[in-house]
Amino acid sequence: MQRLSLLSRALGVYTKSQLSSGVRTACVQQQVRGQSSVRVIPAYKRPSPSPAKESSNSVQTSQAAEEEPDFSPPSSQPATPAFGGELGGRSGNGEQQDLSGSLFNPDEGYLQGSHWSTSFQGMATQPFDPRISEMLMAPVTESDIEIKPDGLLYLPEIKYRRILNRAFGPGGWGLVPRGAHSVSGRTLSREYALVCLGRFISQARGEQDFFDESGLATATEGCKSNALVRCCKDLGVASELWDPAFITQFKAKRCVEEWVTHAVKGSKKRMWRLKERQWDYPWTKK
């Protein structure tokens, strides 16, 4: 007991009699040589908390409360379509949206909330006005027809746009994307729907070849034009170009097939051209 008393005084440990004398104390756990002992500190020796620290702690607590994350459920309102340039646009609340990845993105910003990306509204409800039908189904002008070197007849896509503008007026028709672009090898394709006077008319997939990434912009435009030509078949525009009898007659009347030589490679090939046209470089007739 005497040893314990000496050890207690050396460590500044107060006895139970000192605690009962009315001295206010606080206990702090301390480790002494691997053994736990209780050190009692009188209240008058304990440092009082600093007012500055208390105010700083209260400020940190209030900031933490303000920065508490919001776990409320997201709004159920439909997304607002974003209209803008190729690389960005502004939503309905004025926030800038990044559309740079929209080329191969199936959920493109400007299609969100648009029913025309999936709708067939107005399909086959009634015929168009006779005046419109006559413009659409008018016989193709032979002087507008072109022929590819492999013998395929075609009408330049700008001719289709002019026919639609005459029939429905600028703004009375449009092509609506029905999905994202698809890439297969070096061929870019996309589904489009033709809408005229607020009515679904036709749907087709356009395609266009490209050789490197620098030609993607041109390929997307060619893809859209190719889809337009295919959609116009359902309106009867230039339907003669899919008629075998007309194709045979037109070729015999206005086209010629000849052997031509490549000016650089020296290779020979049979190719078609219109009779009123001449061969362009590097192809020449020898």
Side-chain angles (χ1 to χ4, degrees):
M1 292 293 296
Q2 188 174 3
R3 279 175 149 182
L4 181 61
S5 176
L6 292 174
L7 179 61
S8 300
R9 289 177 185 177
L11 295 176
V13 177
Y14 291 81
T15 63
K16 290 184 180 180
S17 61
Q18 289 173 315
L19 288 173
S20 61
S21 64
V23 180
R24 291 168 28 177
T25 62
C27 296
V28 176
Q29 191 75 10
Q30 185 181 17
Q31 202 75 12
V32 179
R33 293 184 181 179
Q35 298 179 355
S36 289
S37 62
V38 178
R39 182 181 180 187
V40 183
I41 303 176
Y44 63 86
K45 289 187 178 182
R46 295 198 306 268
S48 59
S50 171
K53 288 184 179 179
E54 289 183 355
S55 61
S56 130
N57 290 338
S58 62
V59 170
Q60 291 179 358
T61 304
S62 61
Q63 287 179 351
E66 292 178 358
E67 295 176 359
E68 184 177 357
D70 183 16
F71 295 102
S72 58
S75 173
S76 60
Q77 296 180 355
T80 305
F83 298 89
E86 284 188 355
L87 300 180
R90 293 192 177 273
S91 60
N93 56 8
E95 295 180 356
Q96 186 73 20
Q97 293 188 347
D98 181 17
L99 302 180
S100 59
S102 65
L103 182 62
F104 303 104
N105 182 10
D107 301 321
E108 299 189 30
Y110 63 87
L111 285 181
Q112 294 178 5
S114 171
H115 72 282
W116 280 121
S117 60
T118 55
S119 174
F120 296 87
Q121 177 182 335
M123 180 179 180
T125 53
Q126 61 179 358
F128 284 115
D129 185 81
R131 179 192 65 83
I132 296 177
S133 299
E134 289 178 5
M135 291 183 179
L136 296 174
M137 301 179 65
V140 64
T141 304
E142 292 190 359
S143 59
D144 291 339
I145 300 175
E146 301 286 343
I147 187 170
K148 293 184 177 181
D150 59 0
L152 179 65
L153 300 183
Y154 71 98
L155 198 65
E157 54 83 16
I158 190 61
K159 305 288 184 179
Y160 290 89
R161 283 180 163 86
R162 290 174 181 173
I163 293 172
L164 293 176
N165 282 334
R166 285 198 301 267
F168 302 107
W173 65 277
L175 280 176
V176 183
R178 306 282 272 194
H181 286 90
S182 299
V183 178
S184 177
R186 288 297 180 180
T187 301
L188 182 71
S189 66
R190 193 180 198 184
E191 199 92 12
Y192 285 91
L194 177 62
V195 179
C196 300
L197 301 182
R199 295 167 52 183
F200 174 89
I201 300 302
S202 181
Q203 180 173 325
R205 177 171 289 273
E207 60 183 351
Q208 180 65 44
D209 294 337
F210 68 99
F211 300 99
D212 53 52
E213 293 183 359
S214 62
L216 279 176
T218 303
T220 55
E221 185 66 19
C223 179
K224 179 180 178 182
S225 297
N226 184 242
L228 173 65
V229 172
R230 294 177 175 180
C231 285
C232 283
K233 287 193 294 184
D234 289 354
L235 290 174
V237 179
S239 59
E240 295 91 339
L241 300 181
W242 283 267
D243 183 354
F246 176 85
I247 294 173
T248 302
Q249 181 182 3
F250 181 85
K251 282 185 173 181
K253 178 181 177 181
R254 306 191 59 138
C255 304
V256 61
E257 186 181 22
E258 297 176 330
W259 281 100
V260 290
T261 304
H262 196 281
V264 178
K265 299 179 180 179
S267 58
K268 293 185 177 182
K269 189 177 182 179
R270 285 186 67 86
M271 298 172 61
W272 287 87
R273 66 172 176 86
L274 295 173
K275 290 182 178 180
E276 63 267 21
R277 302 281 178 83
Q278 298 298 322
W279 292 110
D280 296 327
Y281 183 86
W283 295 105
T284 58
K285 182 182 177 181
K286 292 184 179 179

